[in-house]
Amino acid sequence: MSVDSSPLPEALRHAASISRFMRRMLDSRPWLAAQLAGSLGQPLDSEAMSSFLANRGVDEARLRASLRHLRSWVVCHVLTRDLNGFADLAEVTETMTVLAEVTVRATYEVLREGLVARYGAPLSPTGWEQELLVIGMGKLGGRELNVSSDIDLIFVYPEDGDTGGNKVISNFEFFERLGKQMIQALADVTEHGQVFRVDMRLRPNGDSGPLVCSFDMLENYFITQGREWERYAWIKARVLAGERYHELEQIARPFVFRKYLDFGSINAMRALHAQIRREVTRRDRVNNIKLGPGGIREIEFTAQVFQLIRGGREPGLQVRATLDVLAVLGERGILTPQTVGELAEAYDFLRRLEHRLQYLDDAQTHDLPGNDEDCECIARAMDFPDYTSFLGVLDHHRAAVSRHFDHVFGDPSEEAHTLDSMWAAARDVEQAEPILSRLGYGDPSGAAHRLAALHGSARYQQLPNHIRSRLDALMPRVVEVAAATPGPDETLARCIDLIEAISRRGAYLALLQQYPQALRRVADLVGASRWAAQYLTRHPILLDELLDDRNLEPAPDWDALRAQMRDTLDTLEPDMERQMDVMREQHHAQVFRLLTQDIAGLLTVEKLADHLSALADLMLELALPLVWRKIKIRHRDDPAFAVIAYGKLGGKELGYASDLDIVFLFDDPAPEALEVYTRLAQRINTWLSSQTAAGILFETDLRLRPNGESGLLVTSIESFRKYQLESAWVWEHQALTRARFAAGDATIGAAFERIRCEVLRLPRDIAALRAEVLAMRRKMSDAHAGKSERFNLKHDAGGLVDVEFLVQYLVLGHAHRYPELTGNLGNIALLRIAGELGLIPAELAARCGDSYRLFRRLQHRQRLNGLLSLVDPDEVAAAREPVQALWAIVFGGP
């Protein structure tokens, strides 16, 4: 924001009428008014500040005076612009942050030069010159510095060793001396004032620790002694001076941002805040707008706790500024837009108020004034007609902050639960049974024995106290929410299976303890589906997904997911292990989101299969270039290579646990192509099917390639065409009816589609084709059908396979005359087309399509409940009839 020169005298007068500090500065520094008049038209940047220092000199003799004069000018400049409405909050905090950076770097450079002249440069044992990394913490690290702030610093150097001068001292001693001199140069009060108070208490071991530490010492401290509040502090850590900051980030990031979801952070942050509140109350500082109820710290805690919880899995949350964090939380649906808006508005108001309190006397204060004159002054500075109206708006913002803070940090387990005593005495089955019966359990004895077994288990008894207390707070609520589901007994049993699986991971227990809505959703989900319960038990990291209401939004945004994952995976390069885990975690999360929609009744089986197939395509698309990068000897930048999908993936009928039937093709004349692409295919298969800490992506089946298991793993496009035209079996042509390009080189994909259509449109002897198809159907029937009195939805006569064989026969038998039959459109659509062409009765084709849809829906129901695809024959008798009728028409018999 800029302003014309005409109002500048009035701007200075207005600022001086509010700030006693401003009046003192103008009175004691005759040069200041002219300096301000020449610069108030625009914000100050680092270039302007550095020029100011250069003009006054920054050798050791003049350093202190020059730094203090610079501060006087910068603070009075930003104060005047702020109070006259020329500067917003961002400009004020950025200007003060830049002032700290410029003064710290100038101090570092001047004082280091003097020490090097005396002792020589500090060196590593191998002779590399060492530097001091000056780390800005707190608001300085977050570029949010206020006008009268302390600066929180930590001093770190890379390697131990000695200096290389005539008078040798250790690197530790060199940097300790440098650090002490820097603190004195910045913090000592001289006749010109002070630059910044320097707070070093955030360093390892605080005041009792050494002033400086090496990378090794810092890393060891994080591993062995780092505490939860230090993780919170290190979120904002930023190197102000020193080139080896990437190495420092690699040390600090695993300490701050855990790879797993860390909901235990909520309890740690809650305890830290409770300690602060007790201190505020003890000192009677409720009107402290930073630490008091509804103050700045509560906004910061609300934003930053989610960074600790999720930052390891979501790099987008590894930002420093509070408003930036809130914006990301809103974008990702972790906080609602209303919450983000109210917190951001309150933050702006409170930070601007903070500055005006400090403008009065340049004091590091956050307390509202205690006299009428200052109250009136603050109201005027905040553009209110009087102090009463100002307080009304302040109270509104603080109430909103407290409400949102309590929503995030409130502890549901603090309230006693009516079932606490039952769980405490859970091993007394006779006492528990009548309580469970009243709650609606169908088998209260079985439920009571299951609870008793958990309470008496060695696993429970051996839990650390803090984790067992979380489980004790959780179990009464588990019993209650399970009782509210349609099948309480089954739900409770599945919940207990889940809790036993996660019992040693306090973060997961903390999530369910902290968020009752997540626990209710767990009960609903596992109660509705045994498969869902097993999936959640295998991948408990997905519990976090139950907090996101966006999971019930109907359509996944595959383009956004693709872009996000590419960025994340590129950032992780070359860490293959982490890339594989991230792909698995994201795949599991997306499957789980679809599962929650499915169980909520928001997806048809067809739409679910479309989504699962699109997700599999996306994973193949992402995996291919990642694996290609890791082929050491490759002859081109991009592989001339494609993944072809067959089976359920090819027909876009993928289910939750379906294998991927895939074939690898290439089109590359290079002599080494076969060897290189074979290696690529092997590694892609490994990438997809290997078990990592995050599970697997997909089971794969490569047997549909030319010559099956005895054939080459990859096939050139020419060889594939030749094989299909000259050597393939009829069943391989049947498989082609629902094969498609899935990932890789689109040119090869188009070539594959041309070959597919060419093969499907070959003229065939209809009688020979019928005999081949019937023989293959009998072979499958002998292997699978007729083994139960119940109806097998897939393999028994009149079921899914019969519909698929009917469609494949119609395509292979008639596509040479009707090219529209070659489309990979799905069985129902192809039945309709065949009916419209008069190849089969149209009405019967439609009824068969309805039967096929019903069979898929029933099969899906069975799988969700962990059951085989077997149903009561009476349930499907009407649906089998049109399939068997069409079979008789097409093939001449049952």
Side-chain angles (χ1 to χ4, degrees), residues 418-419 421-422 430-445 479-480 483-484 488:
T418 55
L419 298 177
S421 58
M422 186 207 73
E430 292 182 359
Q431 178 181 324
E433 279 187 33
I435 299 173
L436 293 169
S437 178
R438 288 195 297 271
L439 287 170
Y441 282 86
D443 180 12
S445 175
V479 173
E480 180 182 48

Side-chain angles (χ1 to χ4, degrees), residues 620 659-662 684-686 688-689 698-702:
L620 289 168
D659 296 352
L660 299 191
D661 292 294
I662 51 179
I684 288 174
N685 193 53
T686 300
L688 297 173
S689 60
F698 300 102
E699 297 284 357
T700 58
D701 190 334
L702 311 182

Side-chain angles (χ1 to χ4, degrees), residues 62-187:
R62 290 176 290 181
L63 176 66
R64 296 188 177 205
S66 296
L67 293 178
R68 284 152 180 77
H69 287 152
L70 173 63
R71 182 186 187 277
S72 299
W73 173 45
V74 172
V75 173
C76 289
H77 178 280
V78 78
L79 173 159
T80 302
R81 284 180 58 80
D82 188 8
L83 291 176
N84 283 277
F86 307 150
D88 58 12
L89 174 63
E91 180 185 321
V92 176
T93 55
E94 177 64 14
T95 301
M96 293 305 302
T97 299
V98 171
L99 173 64
E101 291 172 343
V102 168
T103 55
V104 166
R105 287 172 186 155
T107 304
Y108 171 78
E109 290 166 4
V110 170
L111 296 177
R112 186 183 189 281
E113 186 179 343
L115 285 172
V116 169
R118 185 176 306 169
Y119 300 108
L123 304 173
S124 71
T126 55
W128 287 93
E129 187 168 329
Q130 300 294 292
E131 61 183 357
L132 182 68
L133 281 78
V134 181
I135 305 167
M137 307 289 285
K139 286 188 167 56
L140 172 56
R143 308 197 73 86
E144 301 169 314
L145 207 60
N146 62 51
V147 292
S148 295
S149 181
D150 299 351
I151 55 173
D152 295 291
L153 300 179
I154 294 177
F155 298 142
V156 182
Y157 62 94
E159 298 177 70
D160 284 314
D162 298 310
T163 60
N166 292 328
K167 186 175 181 181
V168 176
I169 59 175
S170 69
N171 289 353
F172 174 84
E173 188 177 358
F174 180 95
F175 290 124
E176 184 181 46
R177 292 186 184 192
L178 176 56
K180 287 179 179 178
Q181 291 181 16
M182 288 180 64
I183 293 169
Q184 291 166 357
L186 294 167

Side-chain angles (χ1 to χ4, degrees), residues 590-823:
Q590 294 298 325
V591 169
F592 192 69
R593 289 169 191 171
L594 294 171
L595 178 62
T596 57
Q597 293 180 28
D598 181 15
I599 289 175
L602 300 177
L603 293 175
T604 64
V605 173
E606 292 80 9
K607 181 56 69 176
L608 171 67
D610 285 345
H611 288 327
L612 289 171
S613 300
L615 178 59
D617 287 353
L618 175 57
M619 293 296 148
L620 289 168
E621 178 187 337
L622 292 169
L624 202 158
L626 289 174
V627 177
W628 181 247
R629 289 179 204 166
K630 292 168 175 56
I631 302 292
K632 290 182 180 179
I633 302 174
R634 55 183 190 270
H635 59 292
R636 53 189 296 157
D637 292 335
D638 298 307
F641 180 90
V643 182
I644 306 301
Y646 277 73
K648 290 197 177 299
L649 178 60
K652 296 186 179 180
E653 292 186 352
L654 209 63
Y656 288 123
S658 298
D659 296 352
L660 299 191
D661 292 294
I662 51 179
V663 168
F664 302 116
L665 302 180
F666 72 94
D667 186 15
D668 189 334
E672 66 271 36
L674 178 61
E675 180 183 353
V676 172
Y677 293 129
T678 298
R679 189 177 301 118
L680 175 61
Q682 289 168 337
R683 294 192 181 183
I684 288 174
N685 193 53
T686 300
W687 188 284
L688 297 173
S689 60
S690 291
Q691 180 84 29
T692 76
I696 69 167
L697 266 178
F698 300 102
E699 297 284 357
T700 58
D701 190 334
L702 311 182
R703 291 175 295 176
L704 288 174
R705 66 188 186 268
N707 294 307
E709 289 181 304
S710 63
L712 297 172
L713 193 59
V714 298
T715 309
S716 72
I717 196 75
E718 296 94 340
S719 298
F720 181 80
R721 179 177 181 274
K722 180 178 175 63
Y723 176 84
Q724 291 293 339
L725 292 173
E726 300 177 6
S727 306
W729 296 84
V730 168
W731 67 263
E732 292 178 283
H733 289 174
Q734 288 179 247
L736 269 184
T737 62
R738 55 178 187 173
R740 62 182 177 83
F741 167 70
D745 188 321
T747 303
I748 300 176
F752 164 78
E753 182 60 21
R754 288 192 296 272
I755 294 169
R756 190 183 81 89
C757 292
E758 179 185 4
V759 172
L760 294 182
R761 295 193 63 194
L762 290 172
R764 292 175 172 85
D765 181 311
I766 202 73
L769 175 65
R770 182 183 295 114
E772 288 273 7
V773 171
L774 287 172
M776 177 57 67
R777 182 67 186 98
R778 280 193 295 273
K779 184 176 180 181
M780 288 186 66
S781 180
D782 291 343
H784 295 286
K787 303 217 172 22
S788 169
E789 293 181 0
R790 295 169 65 79
F791 178 72
N792 188 310
L793 290 162
K794 182 175 181 180
H795 292 291
D796 281 350
L800 287 164
V801 171
D802 275 3
V803 177
E804 291 168 356
F805 269 57
L806 280 164
V807 171
Q808 291 161 10
Y809 169 78
L810 291 168
V811 171
L812 295 177
H814 301 283
H816 67 285
R817 288 188 296 139
Y818 303 110
E820 54 264 56
L821 287 172
T822 62

